[in-house]
Amino acid sequence: MPSLDELAKAPQNINEWFLSICSHVAESRRVIEELSKEDPPTEPFKSKYAGRSMLQSALQRAQSFNPSTDQEISRIRCAQATIMFYLGQVGVEVEEPKEAVKSFQSCVDVLALEPVNKYNISLLLHVHNVKATVWSGRGDHDKAYKLLERAKELHAGFLHSKEPPPKSYDEIFMDEKFSSDERNVMFEKLYTNTLFYLAQVYGVKGDNKQAAAHCHITLQRQLEADDFDPLDWSLNCATLSQYYVTMNNYQSARHTLACASSVMSNVQESAENAIYSDESYDNEKIVKARADVERCWIKFCVNLLKDSVKDLEESDLTEKVSKITEMKNTFEDEEDKEEKEEEKEEEKEEEKKEEEKVEDLEAGEKKIEFNEKDYDGDEEDERKKRKTFSDLVDIEDIELLRITNVESGQYEELVPGELCKTYDDARKVFKAGSKFVENAVKHYNFEEYVTDFVEIKQDLSLMYKNLAVYDKDETRQCKMHKRRIDTLTELVSPLNIQHFRQLCRQLRFELGEVKNTMVSLKYSIAAELPPDQQNWKKINNLCFGAIQEFENFCDLLRDPSDNFPDVLSDETVRPYVISQIYIARLYGKFRPTDTMQKLAFLAKAETHFKKALEYYDSHWDQCKGMDLKEEIDVAREMAHFLPRKMEKIRAIA
């Protein structure tokens, strides 16, 4: 094979020149792609640098050729642009993004000299895709977005031109040529990559709706082209379901999860039959991928139960008021209630006046009418004409959300796809979720994946919590919460506080909440039974246990020197304030043995109400956006009320 220098001295024949360029480009790519695998760790890019040097020489030669016809000009430009693209790829691989972008831009500039046609459209699409990933990697997602949108326009424009399938972007340097069908598949694969990258960019930009839509269409196109990695596809499809969960679109969430499980089961079956010999399908990777899909199912069940309970509670508008009333009633006897009747009457009068004011305001608002003349219909029509592909994607359309070519029916039958209305509905979700937990912890076990294992078990606890809401039998509710206590205690006991302090905080706080709920249930059950000293002793012990958990949580907020911080981190402020209020309430629920003990409990309750108020009032700027107002209002009222309560008890005693 003659060298490029020798060719420079020879008469310039386009065919001979092109054959030699092809040989040198092929050799440079062999060095870059194959010999680089043998590079020593001390020189990881040795072969890539050598291959880049060869490409640069080939590019110089291509730029020095003097074409004599329009056809030769187009051929030379296409060759130059392709070599520039290869140089850009090497720049990415050797971690020189600036050089990569320069090469990619040079490629685009050369291609811009020619009209878009079947010879350059594939390269144009590919360079826009790769350039977008480079800019995205450098944190400029706006540039990446513009490049990908331009790639979409190029794809749409070429399809509209009705030209035959375009040539592959590097086919110019290949001996063998592709068929029309093969070219079409490769071209559409480039466009699928465009949509995939757009999904990622939309996600980073915070447009979750368009991110989900583009991800959905990417998955569908990969299936239709039969060009996908089953493990990656399953995980991407399962991850997509989590977006639909956040939108309360449980039908679509279940469907995408069912598709993920269906494809995953095919991978497992193929692996068992030794169809896949590639190491990428070893058993460990399959087990992990399946566990990840199971975890997405778990989140589906947790959120479905949570939203179902929320829907139930919203149907009862007095739910929140009753909880606040319960907090107040903990410390009030009949005499206290009579004393407050007059205050309530005054409050009603004030509320009536406020309602009258609101009615006046609403009457004024009704006078404001929509002026139809402000609406420009022509402008709206023009906007519709300008709609892009992204605008036309409507993920609320259930038909669009269906993924075809996957047998998902048997997996969709595992769990309901709508909010639970009855105990039986909720129990079906719980049983499915429990099975997913059982499967997931086979891989994410406590010994190897502590954080993951704890999170999965916490999800199981949440499912018990929400299932209990549907059971009207308070004794059975207590049994469910007892299982939560056992599960969470087993988690927190072996944890090393030094290494897993945050996890320990979460678990201690949740244990406090569960035991507090148990106290309320036991209280309610005891009120319906004949007086039983032994029963009240158990309730007192449960109160002590709940208080201990909340105090353990607060102790875990201390620094290594055992000092309580002056300012808490934002994520611990609300739990700390709520813990103090919970502790105060629990002291009010104790059944004392004598007056002195009752006074001692009330004094402790007052202390903890004041601790909550002290932090809230002294850190108002930090606390004001944490949805604590109602709890703080009650704490302030109780801190004012309890001293008077204790004075009355002392006076009687």
Side-chain angles (χ1 to χ4, degrees), residues 56-210:
Q56 288 169 338
S57 296
L59 179 60
Q60 289 174 1
R61 174 61 181 145
Q63 291 170 332
S64 66
F65 188 84
N66 294 317
S68 56
T69 66
D70 290 343
Q71 185 178 5
E72 288 184 355
I73 291 173
S74 295
R75 194 175 180 187
I76 296 300
R77 284 174 177 169
C78 194
Q80 291 174 3
T82 304
I83 295 172
M84 290 169 181
F85 176 76
Y86 292 153
L87 286 169
Q89 284 185 312
V90 176
V92 173
E93 292 168 3
V94 300
E95 300 172 8
E96 296 176 7
K98 287 186 178 179
E99 290 300 314
V101 169
K102 283 174 60 178
S103 296
F104 289 140
Q105 188 56 51
S106 297
C107 171
V108 173
D109 292 342
V110 171
L111 291 173
L113 300 174
E114 293 284 322
V116 176
N117 54 56
K118 67 177 184 179
Y119 298 103
N120 59 24
I121 180 62
S122 290
L123 182 56
L124 266 172
L125 208 60
H126 200 22
V127 74
H128 277 77
N129 285 348
V130 179
K131 193 177 176 185
T133 63
V134 174
W135 279 116
S136 188
R138 297 175 71 180
D140 196 333
H141 304 293
D142 288 332
K143 278 188 179 179
Y145 171 76
K146 290 176 182 177
L147 285 164
L148 294 169
E149 282 293 322
R150 175 58 181 153
K152 280 169 51 176
E153 291 172 4
L154 289 167
H155 177 267
F158 185 79
L159 293 184
H160 185 70
S161 70
K162 306 295 185 182
E163 284 201 41
K167 290 193 173 184
S168 169
Y169 65 91
D170 54 1
E171 197 171 348
I172 190 172
F173 292 126
M174 296 173 60
D175 292 332
E176 61 177 291
K177 304 301 179 183
F178 297 115
S179 67
S180 292
D181 288 343
E182 289 172 328
R183 288 171 177 170
N184 188 60
V185 167
M186 287 185 285
F187 181 58
E188 289 304 319
K189 182 178 179 179
L190 288 175
Y191 182 60
T192 299
N193 289 341
T194 302
L195 298 176
F196 176 69
Y197 298 143
L198 260 173
Q200 294 176 310
V201 171
Y202 274 122
V204 174
K205 287 166 70 68
D207 191 341
N208 293 328
K209 178 175 179 177
Q210 288 298 340

Side-chain angles (χ1 to χ4, degrees), residues 445-558:
N445 55 70
F446 184 81
E447 290 74 21
E448 297 177 273
Y449 304 95
V450 175
T451 304
D452 296 287
F453 181 84
V454 169
E455 182 182 334
I456 292 169
K457 288 291 188 175
Q458 281 181 296
D459 285 337
L460 178 62
S461 171
L462 287 174
M463 285 191 280
Y464 269 119
K465 174 185 176 181
N466 289 307
L467 177 63
V469 175
Y470 284 88
D471 198 325
K472 302 304 179 183
D473 188 310
E474 291 179 327
T475 301
R476 287 201 297 267
Q477 288 184 44
C478 284
K479 290 179 180 178
M480 292 186 205
H481 290 299
K482 180 61 170 64
R483 289 176 184 173
R484 294 180 66 199
I485 291 172
D486 293 341
T487 298
L488 296 170
T489 302
E490 288 175 5
L491 291 175
V492 74
S493 297
L495 287 179
N496 184 310
I497 293 176
Q498 185 177 353
H499 295 114
F500 299 103
R501 180 172 289 267
Q502 185 173 351
L503 275 182
C504 289
R505 285 177 190 160
Q506 292 175 8
L507 293 169
R508 289 298 179 190
F509 184 82
E510 189 173 351
L511 275 166
E513 285 189 310
V514 181
K515 291 181 179 180
N516 179 66
T517 301
M518 286 275 284
V519 169
S520 297
L521 288 169
K522 293 289 186 181
Y523 232 88
S524 178
I525 293 170
E528 301 294 325
L529 299 173
D532 184 343
Q533 202 63 30
Q534 193 65 27
N535 198 25
W536 283 109
K537 184 178 179 181
K538 290 179 180 178
I539 293 175
N540 280 354
N541 288 336
L542 197 53
C543 284
F544 273 120
I547 288 171
Q548 188 61 55
E549 297 296 352
F550 286 123
E551 288 182 340
N552 286 340
F553 164 77
C554 293
D555 287 340
L556 287 167
L557 297 175
R558 296 179 179 277

Side-chain angles (χ1 to χ4, degrees), residues 320-321 323-325 327-328 331 509 513 573-582 584-585 608-614 616-617 623-640:
K320 200 165 189 179
V321 176
K323 290 181 180 179
I324 299 298
T325 303
M327 188 188 295
K328 295 178 181 178
F331 301 95
F509 184 82
E513 285 189 310
V573 170
R574 180 177 170 78
Y576 169 74
V577 173
I578 295 295
S579 291
Q580 295 302 325
I581 294 174
Y582 271 137
R585 288 184 62 199
H608 286 282
F609 276 130
K610 286 183 175 178
K611 281 187 176 182
L613 293 170
E614 181 183 348
Y616 184 86
D617 291 338
C623 297
K624 61 184 178 183
M626 297 192 177
D627 193 24
L628 285 164
K629 186 179 184 305
E630 290 188 355
E631 290 85 353
I632 288 297
D633 286 347
V634 173
R636 205 176 299 283
E637 183 178 342
M638 299 315 300
H640 176 71

Side-chain angles (χ1 to χ4, degrees), residues 267-283:
V267 175
Q268 288 179 287
E269 184 179 339
S270 299
E272 290 168 4
N273 295 330
I275 293 176
Y276 293 125
S277 59
D278 193 301
E279 62 177 9
S280 63
Y281 289 94
D282 63 43
N283 187 61

Side-chain angles (χ1 to χ4, degrees), residues 6 14 54 74 84 185-186 200 220 284 303 340 377 386 411 421 427 436 491 505 510 528 555 557 639 648 653:
E6 291 172 340
I14 183 70
M54 295 170 66
S74 295
M84 290 169 181
V185 167
M186 287 185 285
Q200 294 176 310
Q220 182 64 59
E284 184 179 347
N303 283 279
K340 288 196 172 184
R386 294 198 304 270
Y411 296 98
K421 301 298 182 183
R427 189 168 179 270
F436 295 134
L491 291 175
R505 285 177 190 160
E510 189 173 351
E528 301 294 325
D555 287 340
L557 297 175
K648 285 173 61 177

